[in-house]
Amino acid sequence: MTLPDLHLLVGSYTATGGGNATGISIVGPGQSAGEATLVASTVAVLDDPSFLAVSGDRVYAVSETTDGGVHAFRRSGSALEHLWDAPAGGDAPCHVRVDPSGALVVTNYVSGTVTAVSLEAAESYAASVSASDGIVGGTTATAPAADGMASGHGIAGRGTGVSAALPDAAVATVLLPDATGPVGDRQEGPHAHQSIATPAGTVLVADLGGDALHEFRVVADAASVSIEPLRVHHLTPGSGPRHMAWFDGDLVVAGELDGRVYRMRRDESGSLREVCAAAAFDGPVDTSLLSHVEVDEHGIVTVAVRGRDQIVVFDASGGGLRFVGSASAGGVWPRHFARVPGYLLVANQMSDAVAVLPVGADGVPGDAVGQIAVGSPTCIIPLQER
């Protein structure tokens, strides 16, 4: 079967985090053993870029390390031009997202902190630093690699490029309230995992360690950024909320630690309350850990289960969470996935590959029709060609 014409950015773990990648990879058409195929090559060399976000021609990556950072690039075709760096505001940043407020929101797992970076301030400051150094926009990786795609580009001491230390006012960090949960080895304190924008214009942050969703107001302008705590929404003890998605005004939450998917709805007070929950699998949880969750416009909920290496599908269109089916993830330890027309692309971290799974009308994937070799993949972003 011919693979779809895909253009992807893939985040991964490098040797620093026990992985096999060398940085951010780009995937596109190439040649292997004389046949047309999909080929991955490194376009930015940095430690543990485990999560990425794309907005227009901008690419943002965390470096999930102790005292981690966030890095900004400009994409042109298959090249990334390094623009600026900022502190993540904590240890092990594991998620980054461009918020409608104009801020880049970063969640730091180990330290339980949330950081917002004013994108307007960051871009302005980095441009001024480039101009004062006689550099226009940094340097660009354009040399072709052996497979015909762009070669890697080092940053932040790992190669050439502009590294701008942003003004203090352009970065704000808050610490989640001290909290624990019943899963002692995972819930000894707050662990910020993912952020998501709300229909009300606020930001929700999943705290895996405290079984809670923290709601903030983020305000960013050309000079500064602020994070204002608003309220805390509590989940079932031991659920360990990881990733979230909206559907029809309700919030769908993947409970990493209890293997359940939750549907939540705001009550008259503004608090998010559980409407229903459904188990993603039968039997004990053990090392079966939910990871990413998405919901399409028809209410098809897709969630990945590490340990069991499955993709599980529910239907939320009827107001609940009806189990539809499950299938193989096409590899080991499905940490993240992305949907493209007709296919589900699964980042199987321990298989060093992205599996290409065809998807039926019910949302349940079929057997993998291809594997794209990428070291320790942890995040997949489909690209619109520029």
Side-chain angles (χ1 to χ4, degrees):
M1 182 175 182
T2 302
L3 292 179
D5 185 14
L6 298 173
H7 298 267
L8 316 169
L9 280 176
V10 181
S12 295
Y13 282 126
T14 65
T16 301
N20 298 312
T22 54
I24 301 171
S25 300
I26 195 162
V27 172
Q31 295 287 324
S32 178
E35 295 185 359
T37 185
L38 293 170
V39 177
S41 61
T42 302
V43 287
V45 177
L46 71 158
D47 291 333
D48 294 338
S50 64
F51 210 88
L52 313 173
V54 173
S55 179
D57 67 351
R58 295 301 195 261
V59 176
Y60 305 99
V62 299
S63 184
E64 192 179 334
T65 60
T66 301
D67 194 21
V70 60
H71 311 283
F73 303 85
R74 179 189 290 116
R75 183 175 73 91
S76 177
S78 294
L80 292 184
E81 172 191 345
H82 177 222
L83 298 177
W84 51 264
D85 308 316
D91 296 337
C94 60
H95 188 268
V96 61
R97 182 181 58 83
V98 178
D99 189 67
S101 66
L104 195 67
V105 179
V106 183
T107 48
N108 297 285
Y109 180 82
V110 171
S111 56
T113 54
V114 181
T115 292
V117 179
S118 167
L119 288 175
E120 188 174 0
E123 293 272 337
S124 175
Y125 188 72
S128 68
V129 170
S130 297
S132 67
D133 288 343
I135 303 171
V136 180
T139 55
T140 308
T142 56
D147 55 21
M149 301 185 70
S151 63
H153 176 58
I155 69 166
R158 299 286 301 277
T160 57
V162 176
S163 183
L166 303 182
D168 290 344
V171 183
T173 298
V174 297
L175 174 64
L176 296 184
D178 190 26
T180 60
V183 184
D185 61 338
R186 296 292 309 278
Q187 295 187 306
E188 78 294 346
H191 293 304
H193 215 299
Q194 184 209 32
S195 77
I196 190 172
T198 77
T202 57
V203 172
L204 284 177
V205 172
D207 175 9
L208 184 146
D211 292 321
L213 309 178
H214 297 267
E215 190 165 3
F216 300 95
R217 177 173 290 110
V218 177
V219 178
D221 58 30
S224 64
V225 65
S226 63
I227 307 175
E228 176 191 358
L230 297 177
R231 66 175 73 214
V232 180
H233 311 274
H234 296 284
L235 280 82
T236 300
S239 57
R242 179 185 173 94
H243 278 200
M244 305 168 282
W246 291 100
F247 174 70
D248 198 23
D250 290 352
L251 185 70
V252 177
V253 183
E256 174 173 335
L257 302 183
D258 70 353
R260 298 174 69 81
V261 176
Y262 293 83
R263 184 169 186 161
M264 305 183 73
R265 184 176 302 156
R266 286 196 191 266
D267 62 18
E268 294 180 354
S269 72
S271 295
L272 285 164
R273 306 291 186 187
E274 181 184 320
V275 176
C276 60
F281 49 83
D282 294 328
V285 174
D286 295 329
T287 57
S288 301
L289 306 174
L290 302 194
S291 58
H292 188 53
V293 64
E294 290 189 13
V295 188
D296 73 8
E297 66 274 17
H298 305 296
I300 297 298
V301 179
T302 307
V303 64
V305 186
R306 294 166 294 172
R308 294 178 185 245
D309 301 329
Q310 291 182 322
I311 301 296
V312 180
V313 176
F314 297 92
D315 184 356
S317 63
L321 287 169
R322 180 180 64 84
F323 177 78
V324 176
S326 63
S328 168
V332 180
W333 211 249
R335 187 181 181 91
H336 191 251
F337 60 80
R339 294 174 298 170
V340 298
Y343 296 89
L344 192 72
L345 311 175
V346 184
N348 288 307
Q349 179 184 337
M350 295 184 183
S351 294
D352 290 330
V354 173
V356 182
L357 310 180
V359 176
D362 62 357
V364 179
D367 293 338
V369 295
Q371 301 282 347
I372 306 168
V374 184
S376 308
T378 57
C379 176
I380 305 172
I381 306 291
L383 295 173
Q384 297 293 325
E385 279 306 284
R386 304 188 64 81

